[in-house]
Amino acid sequence: MTPALSCYSTALVEYLGGAAAEDLAAAVHLWVRTDRPDGALAFSHHDRVDRGVLVHDHRPDWPSARAALAGLLAGEGQVIVSGNAFHLPWSPHHGVRRVPHWFLLRAHDAQGWLVADPFHALMPGGEQLPYAGVLDDDALRRALTPVGRIDPAVRNREVHALGEPVDIGPTDAYRWLRRATAPPAGLPAPWPGTWLREPREVLGYLRDRLTSDGALLERHVDDLWAASRHQLHRLGPDPDPDLADAWTQLPKALRFAADSARRGRPRTGVAERALDAVAGLTTGREVHRARG
Protein backbone atom coordinates (compact mmCIF):
# COMPACT_ATOMS: atom_id res chain seq x y z
CA MET A 1 0.00 0.00 0.00
CA THR A 2 1.39 3.40 -0.98
CA PRO A 3 1.91 5.61 2.10
CA ALA A 4 0.01 8.89 2.51
CA LEU A 5 2.60 11.46 1.46
CA SER A 6 2.80 14.49 -0.83
CA CYS A 7 2.39 14.01 -4.57
CA TYR A 8 6.16 14.37 -4.92
CA SER A 9 7.21 11.79 -2.34
CA THR A 10 4.37 9.45 -3.32
CA ALA A 11 5.68 9.33 -6.89
CA LEU A 12 9.26 9.06 -5.66
CA VAL A 13 8.54 6.09 -3.36
CA GLU A 14 6.54 4.38 -6.10
CA TYR A 15 9.32 4.91 -8.63
CA LEU A 16 12.11 3.68 -6.35
CA GLY A 17 10.18 0.69 -5.01
CA GLY A 18 11.75 -1.83 -2.66
CA ALA A 19 12.43 -0.35 0.77
CA ALA A 20 11.93 3.25 -0.39
CA ALA A 21 8.98 3.84 1.95
CA GLU A 22 11.04 2.68 4.95
CA ASP A 23 14.04 4.69 3.78
CA LEU A 24 11.88 7.78 3.51
CA ALA A 25 10.46 7.30 7.01
CA ALA A 26 14.01 7.27 8.38
CA ALA A 27 14.94 10.33 6.30
CA VAL A 28 12.06 12.65 7.29
CA HIS A 29 12.82 16.01 8.85
CA LEU A 30 11.37 19.54 8.71
CA TRP A 31 13.79 22.30 7.73
CA VAL A 32 12.89 25.82 6.65
CA ARG A 33 14.81 28.50 4.75
CA THR A 34 14.16 31.93 6.20
CA ASP A 35 15.90 34.39 3.85
CA ARG A 36 14.45 33.83 0.39
CA PRO A 37 14.76 37.07 -1.67
CA ASP A 38 11.20 36.57 -2.95
CA GLY A 39 9.81 36.59 0.61
CA ALA A 40 8.49 33.03 0.44
CA LEU A 41 9.66 30.27 2.76
CA ALA A 42 11.30 27.12 1.43
CA PHE A 43 10.93 23.73 3.10
CA SER A 44 12.88 20.49 3.01
CA HIS A 45 10.86 17.52 4.26
CA HIS A 46 13.43 14.72 4.07
CA ASP A 47 16.95 13.73 3.11
CA ARG A 48 17.39 12.40 -0.39
CA VAL A 49 16.40 8.75 -0.73
CA ASP A 50 17.30 8.35 -4.43
CA ARG A 51 21.06 8.39 -3.66
CA GLY A 52 21.33 11.50 -5.81
CA VAL A 53 20.77 9.69 -9.10
CA LEU A 54 17.68 11.60 -10.25
CA VAL A 55 17.94 14.87 -12.15
CA HIS A 56 15.35 17.05 -13.87
CA ASP A 57 15.15 17.18 -17.64
CA HIS A 58 12.99 19.19 -20.03
CA ARG A 59 12.20 19.98 -23.65
CA PRO A 60 10.70 23.18 -25.10
CA ASP A 61 8.14 21.53 -27.40
CA TRP A 62 5.94 18.46 -27.41
CA PRO A 63 7.50 16.56 -30.37
CA SER A 64 10.94 16.60 -28.77
CA ALA A 65 9.48 15.86 -25.32
CA ARG A 66 7.47 12.94 -26.69
CA ALA A 67 10.56 11.44 -28.33
CA ALA A 68 12.66 11.86 -25.18
CA LEU A 69 10.00 10.28 -22.96
CA ALA A 70 9.54 7.34 -25.31
CA GLY A 71 13.31 6.78 -25.27
CA LEU A 72 13.48 6.96 -21.47
CA LEU A 73 10.63 4.48 -21.10
CA ALA A 74 12.35 2.07 -23.45
CA GLY A 75 15.57 2.34 -21.49
CA GLU A 76 14.39 2.74 -17.87
CA GLY A 77 10.92 1.19 -17.81
CA GLN A 78 9.25 4.10 -16.01
CA VAL A 79 9.53 7.88 -15.73
CA ILE A 80 8.38 10.45 -13.16
CA VAL A 81 6.81 13.35 -15.04
CA SER A 82 5.89 16.80 -13.78
CA GLY A 83 2.31 17.26 -14.92
CA ASN A 84 -0.05 20.22 -14.71
CA ALA A 85 -2.92 19.59 -12.28
CA PHE A 86 -5.16 21.99 -14.24
CA HIS A 87 -5.18 19.43 -17.09
CA LEU A 88 -5.42 16.20 -15.07
CA PRO A 89 -9.01 14.87 -15.17
CA TRP A 90 -8.45 12.81 -12.01
CA SER A 91 -7.20 15.81 -9.96
CA PRO A 92 -9.41 18.04 -7.76
CA HIS A 93 -7.45 20.93 -9.29
CA HIS A 94 -8.66 20.01 -12.80
CA GLY A 95 -9.78 23.17 -14.54
CA VAL A 96 -9.08 25.20 -11.38
CA ARG A 97 -5.41 25.51 -10.50
CA ARG A 98 -2.18 25.35 -12.50
CA VAL A 99 0.32 23.66 -10.22
CA PRO A 100 2.95 20.96 -10.82
CA HIS A 101 1.89 17.41 -9.96
CA TRP A 102 4.16 14.38 -10.26
CA PHE A 103 2.95 11.05 -11.60
CA LEU A 104 4.49 8.14 -13.47
CA LEU A 105 4.65 6.86 -17.01
CA ARG A 106 4.86 3.07 -16.99
CA ALA A 107 4.72 2.01 -20.64
CA HIS A 108 4.18 3.25 -24.19
CA ASP A 109 2.88 1.42 -27.23
CA ALA A 110 0.50 1.90 -30.14
CA GLN A 111 -2.43 2.10 -27.73
CA GLY A 112 -0.98 5.07 -25.84
CA TRP A 113 0.85 5.84 -22.60
CA LEU A 114 0.21 3.85 -19.43
CA VAL A 115 0.15 6.30 -16.53
CA ALA A 116 -0.03 5.69 -12.78
CA ASP A 117 -0.72 8.21 -10.04
CA PRO A 118 -0.87 6.50 -6.63
CA PHE A 119 -1.36 9.80 -4.78
CA HIS A 120 -4.42 9.81 -2.49
CA ALA A 121 -5.51 12.80 -0.42
CA LEU A 122 -8.52 14.77 0.70
CA MET A 123 -7.86 18.38 -0.22
CA PRO A 124 -9.94 21.57 0.01
CA GLY A 125 -10.99 21.14 -3.63
CA GLY A 126 -12.04 17.53 -3.18
CA GLU A 127 -10.61 14.04 -2.92
CA GLN A 128 -7.83 12.83 -5.18
CA LEU A 129 -8.05 9.08 -5.68
CA PRO A 130 -5.24 6.92 -7.08
CA TYR A 131 -5.43 6.72 -10.85
CA ALA A 132 -4.16 4.31 -13.47
CA GLY A 133 -5.07 4.40 -17.14
CA VAL A 134 -3.96 4.85 -20.72
CA LEU A 135 -3.65 8.31 -22.30
CA ASP A 136 -3.26 8.91 -26.01
CA ASP A 137 -0.64 11.33 -27.27
CA ASP A 138 -2.91 14.34 -27.16
CA ALA A 139 -4.17 13.56 -23.66
CA LEU A 140 -0.61 13.13 -22.36
CA ARG A 141 0.46 16.36 -24.05
CA ARG A 142 -2.36 18.18 -22.22
CA ALA A 143 -1.51 16.46 -18.93
CA LEU A 144 2.09 17.67 -19.22
CA THR A 145 1.21 21.20 -20.35
CA PRO A 146 3.91 23.48 -18.91
CA VAL A 147 2.65 25.30 -15.83
CA GLY A 148 4.40 28.52 -16.85
CA ARG A 149 5.02 31.16 -14.22
CA ILE A 150 4.14 29.94 -10.72
CA ASP A 151 4.14 31.43 -7.25
CA PRO A 152 7.59 31.31 -5.60
CA ALA A 153 6.21 29.16 -2.77
CA VAL A 154 5.03 26.56 -5.31
CA ARG A 155 8.31 26.70 -7.21
CA ASN A 156 10.21 26.15 -3.95
CA ARG A 157 8.23 22.95 -3.36
CA GLU A 158 9.36 21.49 -6.65
CA VAL A 159 12.95 22.72 -6.21
CA HIS A 160 13.14 20.86 -2.87
CA ALA A 161 10.91 17.89 -3.74
CA LEU A 162 13.86 15.47 -3.81
CA GLY A 163 14.91 16.69 -0.37
CA GLU A 164 17.63 19.17 -1.31
CA PRO A 165 17.63 22.15 -3.69
CA VAL A 166 18.07 21.14 -7.33
CA ASP A 167 17.66 22.79 -10.72
CA ILE A 168 14.18 21.98 -12.01
CA GLY A 169 14.59 23.66 -15.39
CA PRO A 170 12.20 26.19 -16.95
CA THR A 171 8.56 25.88 -15.92
CA ASP A 172 7.45 26.88 -19.41
CA ALA A 173 8.83 23.59 -20.78
CA TYR A 174 7.72 19.93 -20.63
CA ARG A 175 9.51 18.46 -17.60
CA TRP A 176 10.33 15.08 -16.03
CA LEU A 177 13.03 13.30 -14.03
CA ARG A 178 15.63 10.89 -15.35
CA ARG A 179 18.60 9.00 -14.01
CA ALA A 180 21.83 10.95 -14.27
CA THR A 181 24.15 9.83 -17.06
CA ALA A 182 27.15 10.19 -14.71
CA PRO A 183 27.34 8.82 -11.16
CA PRO A 184 26.91 11.30 -8.29
CA ALA A 185 30.12 13.11 -7.43
CA GLY A 186 29.80 12.26 -3.75
CA LEU A 187 29.94 15.88 -2.64
CA PRO A 188 27.13 17.41 -0.58
CA ALA A 189 24.71 19.60 -2.49
CA PRO A 190 24.91 23.36 -1.90
CA TRP A 191 22.34 24.76 0.53
CA PRO A 192 22.10 28.45 -0.29
CA GLY A 193 20.71 30.81 2.29
CA THR A 194 19.88 30.49 5.96
CA TRP A 195 18.18 27.26 7.06
CA LEU A 196 16.73 26.33 10.43
CA ARG A 197 16.97 22.60 11.15
CA GLU A 198 16.45 21.97 14.85
CA PRO A 199 12.78 20.98 15.38
CA ARG A 200 11.90 23.36 18.20
CA GLU A 201 13.64 26.23 16.44
CA VAL A 202 11.81 25.50 13.19
CA LEU A 203 8.40 25.28 14.86
CA GLY A 204 9.00 28.39 16.95
CA TYR A 205 9.98 30.35 13.85
CA LEU A 206 6.90 29.14 11.96
CA ARG A 207 4.68 30.05 14.90
CA ASP A 208 6.01 33.62 14.93
CA ARG A 209 5.94 34.13 11.16
CA LEU A 210 2.73 32.39 10.17
CA THR A 211 0.59 33.82 12.97
CA SER A 212 1.69 37.39 12.25
CA ASP A 213 1.28 37.33 8.46
CA GLY A 214 -2.00 35.99 7.08
CA ALA A 215 -0.80 36.18 3.47
CA LEU A 216 2.31 34.15 4.28
CA LEU A 217 0.19 31.59 6.11
CA GLU A 218 -2.07 31.26 3.06
CA ARG A 219 0.94 30.66 0.80
CA HIS A 220 2.38 27.93 3.01
CA VAL A 221 -0.58 25.96 4.33
CA ASP A 222 0.16 23.29 1.73
CA ASP A 223 3.77 23.06 2.91
CA LEU A 224 2.66 22.36 6.48
CA TRP A 225 0.09 19.88 5.19
CA ALA A 226 2.95 18.06 3.44
CA ALA A 227 5.03 18.27 6.63
CA SER A 228 2.19 16.68 8.58
CA ARG A 229 1.94 13.74 6.19
CA HIS A 230 5.69 13.16 6.19
CA GLN A 231 5.93 13.39 9.96
CA LEU A 232 3.06 10.93 10.41
CA HIS A 233 4.82 8.57 8.00
CA ARG A 234 7.99 8.91 10.09
CA LEU A 235 6.11 8.06 13.29
CA GLY A 236 5.07 4.73 11.78
CA PRO A 237 2.15 2.40 12.45
CA ASP A 238 2.39 2.61 16.25
CA PRO A 239 3.08 6.29 16.99
CA ASP A 240 2.87 8.29 20.17
CA PRO A 241 -0.87 9.08 20.07
CA ASP A 242 -0.55 12.66 21.31
CA LEU A 243 2.18 13.56 18.85
CA ALA A 244 0.35 11.87 15.98
CA ASP A 245 -2.82 13.76 16.85
CA ALA A 246 -0.94 17.06 17.05
CA TRP A 247 0.53 16.56 13.56
CA THR A 248 -2.87 15.45 12.24
CA GLN A 249 -4.62 18.53 13.61
CA LEU A 250 -1.95 21.04 12.55
CA PRO A 251 -2.87 21.49 8.86
CA LYS A 252 -6.58 21.61 9.72
CA ALA A 253 -5.96 24.40 12.22
CA LEU A 254 -3.74 26.33 9.83
CA ARG A 255 -6.27 26.01 7.01
CA PHE A 256 -9.00 27.32 9.31
CA ALA A 257 -6.79 30.24 10.38
CA ALA A 258 -5.87 31.06 6.77
CA ASP A 259 -9.51 30.95 5.64
CA SER A 260 -10.51 33.15 8.56
CA ALA A 261 -7.78 35.69 7.80
CA ARG A 262 -8.86 35.83 4.17
CA ARG A 263 -12.39 36.66 5.32
CA GLY A 264 -11.04 39.47 7.47
CA ARG A 265 -11.60 37.65 10.77
CA PRO A 266 -8.15 36.43 11.86
CA ARG A 267 -8.02 33.48 14.25
CA THR A 268 -4.32 33.54 15.05
CA GLY A 269 -4.87 31.76 18.36
CA VAL A 270 -5.93 28.61 16.53
CA ALA A 271 -2.67 28.50 14.57
CA GLU A 272 -0.59 29.38 17.64
CA ARG A 273 -2.07 26.59 19.73
CA ALA A 274 -1.64 24.00 16.96
CA LEU A 275 2.03 24.87 16.39
CA ASP A 276 2.66 25.06 20.14
CA ALA A 277 1.13 21.61 20.58
CA VAL A 278 3.52 20.06 18.06
CA ALA A 279 6.50 21.95 19.48
CA GLY A 280 5.61 21.03 23.04
CA LEU A 281 5.57 17.34 22.18
CA THR A 282 8.89 17.53 20.37
CA THR A 283 11.56 15.93 22.57
CA GLY A 284 15.17 14.87 22.38
CA ARG A 285 13.97 11.66 20.74
CA GLU A 286 12.80 13.60 17.69
CA VAL A 287 14.91 13.03 14.61
CA HIS A 288 17.62 15.67 14.34
CA ARG A 289 19.83 15.59 11.27
CA ALA A 290 21.16 19.12 11.20
CA ARG A 291 23.99 19.54 8.75
CA GLY A 292 26.65 22.19 9.01
Side-chain angles (χ1 to χ4, degrees):
M1 180 178 179
T2 304
L5 300 166
S6 71
C7 83
Y8 300 122
S9 48
T10 297
L12 185 60
V13 164
E14 187 76 9
Y15 175 88
L16 295 173
E22 292 80 4
D23 293 344
L24 183 67
V28 166
H29 57 233
L30 179 59
W31 297 349
V32 60
R33 182 178 174 183
T34 62
D35 65 338
R36 287 281 311 178
D38 52 34
L41 304 177
F43 293 82
S44 169
H45 296 287
H46 54 82
D47 297 331
R48 289 194 72 157
V49 293
D50 66 320
R51 295 178 175 83
V53 302
L54 289 175
V55 296
H56 287 261
D57 202 352
H58 59 88
R59 296 293 185 277
D61 59 80
W62 175 241
S64 61
R66 181 190 183 282
L69 289 170
L72 277 177
L73 273 177
E76 299 184 4
Q78 60 179 344
V79 181
I80 297 175
V81 291
S82 185
N84 184 334
F86 187 91
H87 296 284
L88 301 181
W90 62 89
S91 170
H93 297 315
H94 181 230
V96 176
R97 191 180 180 202
R98 291 175 175 83
V99 290
H101 181 86
W102 288 8
F103 61 98
L104 294 100
L105 302 184
R106 285 277 172 73
H108 174 229
D109 59 22
Q111 304 303 312
W113 305 79
L114 178 63
V115 306
D117 185 358
F119 179 61
H120 182 203
L122 182 61
M123 297 181 286
E127 184 178 16
Q128 166 133 1
L129 296 171
Y131 175 82
V134 176
L135 303 181
D136 62 23
D137 275 4
D138 192 53
L140 183 64
R141 177 189 59 78
R142 287 195 304 272
L144 301 186
T145 300
V147 292
R149 184 176 181 179
I150 50 178
D151 184 88
V154 177
R155 181 179 179 85
N156 289 341
R157 284 172 208 147
E158 188 127 325
V159 166
H160 298 87
L162 291 173
E164 65 188 21
V166 299
D167 180 9
I168 65 170
T171 55
D172 59 354
Y174 296 91
R175 297 183 299 125
W176 57 88
L177 287 89
R178 61 169 174 79
R179 293 184 179 273
T181 54
L187 297 176
W191 284 84
T194 301
W195 287 81
L196 301 180
R197 294 177 171 88
E198 198 279 322
R200 287 183 181 273
E201 191 177 18
V202 170
L203 292 164
Y205 174 83
L206 293 175
R207 179 191 189 277
D208 293 343
R209 288 296 311 277
L210 299 182
T211 59
S212 63
D213 188 335
L216 192 70
L217 173 60
E218 178 71 26
R219 294 176 85 182
H220 292 294
V221 167
D222 287 345
D223 294 296
L224 274 298
W225 174 86
S228 169
R229 285 169 76 94
H230 287 104
Q231 293 292 329
L232 289 168
H233 179 61
R234 179 182 68 82
L235 292 175
D238 188 26
D240 175 280
D242 292 332
L243 185 56
D245 183 65
W247 277 114
T248 299
Q249 297 304 319
L250 178 63
K252 300 176 184 177
L254 296 183
R255 176 66 64 186
F256 175 80
D259 291 344
S260 298
R262 190 171 58 251
R263 293 194 296 266
R265 303 183 63 183
R267 297 289 189 271
T268 57
V270 173
E272 289 174 354
R273 288 190 294 273
L275 285 161
D276 283 347
V278 173
L281 291 164
T282 301
T283 70
R285 294 190 299 274
E286 290 293 287
V287 177
H288 178 201
R289 301 180 186 82
R291 298 175 182 168

